[in-house]
Amino acid sequence: MPYPDRSAYPDRFYPVVDTLDWVRRLTGLGVGTVQLRAKDLNDGESLQLVSDALQIVKDTPTRLVVNDYWRAAIVAGAKHVHLGQEDLTTADVHEIRKAGLTLGLSTHDDAELDTALAAEPDYVALGPIFFTTLKSMRFAPQGIPKIAEWKKRVGNIPLVAIGGIKLEQAAEIFDAGADSIAVVSDVTQNPDPDARVKAWLEQVIETA
């Protein structure tokens, strides 16, 4: 299935996964942007993971976004990195930019948004929109109305909505102003992930 606009970054459907198998699976399904988020790896492990993931997406339309491991991303030749607020405090944004990588940042409240915008990111992620059980969150769900409010603040910077979002809520979230939806459990915990991914791709084409 052709995706409508490969120039848009990140794609409107933006799955976040934690293994090479998921990267391979989503690449095979024609997903345009995939974030690889694996935790607690040392320098050697992270470099190996990023290098292997880049091999998977090589010569495909899929763009790999490396979560957290910005040094490994630079060394391995990745083009896109995503940082959380805690990662941002220890990352060298100048080095990331010098290496030519795009930079996406997570935000959860107004103070974090201010911090993110100061770094001039290529996109800002807002979450959690809904309750999520995937990881412990010290922030309450933002809700859909927050999307419209934050889109006014970020202006032309793409806004990614994340956190507990299911396909059935996608149209409303796009209508509220989100440019992209990051999806985790609705794909990785779905009994038929391939069918769910195809449904997401159809949905974003219809709402583009």
Side-chain angles (χ1 to χ4, degrees), residues 70-71 73-75 77-81 91-103 119-120 122:
W70 61 273
R71 292 184 184 87
I74 291 173
V75 173
K79 293 182 169 61
H80 310 282
V81 70
D92 189 330
V93 174
H94 175 72
E95 284 298 314
I96 291 170
R97 293 304 195 185
K98 183 180 175 182
L101 276 74
T102 67
L103 175 63
E120 300 182 347
D122 294 278

Side-chain angles (χ1 to χ4, degrees), residues 99-116:
L101 276 74
T102 67
L103 175 63
L105 296 174
S106 294
T107 59
H108 307 89
D109 61 21
D110 290 334
E112 290 192 352
L113 179 58
D114 289 339
T115 300

Side-chain angles (χ1 to χ4, degrees), residues 22 25 166 168 184-197:
W22 275 114
R25 188 171 189 168
K166 298 188 180 302
E168 291 75 17
V184 188
S185 61
D186 197 47
V187 168
T188 61
Q189 296 182 7
N190 193 280
D192 190 347
D194 290 10
R196 196 62 163 177
V197 168

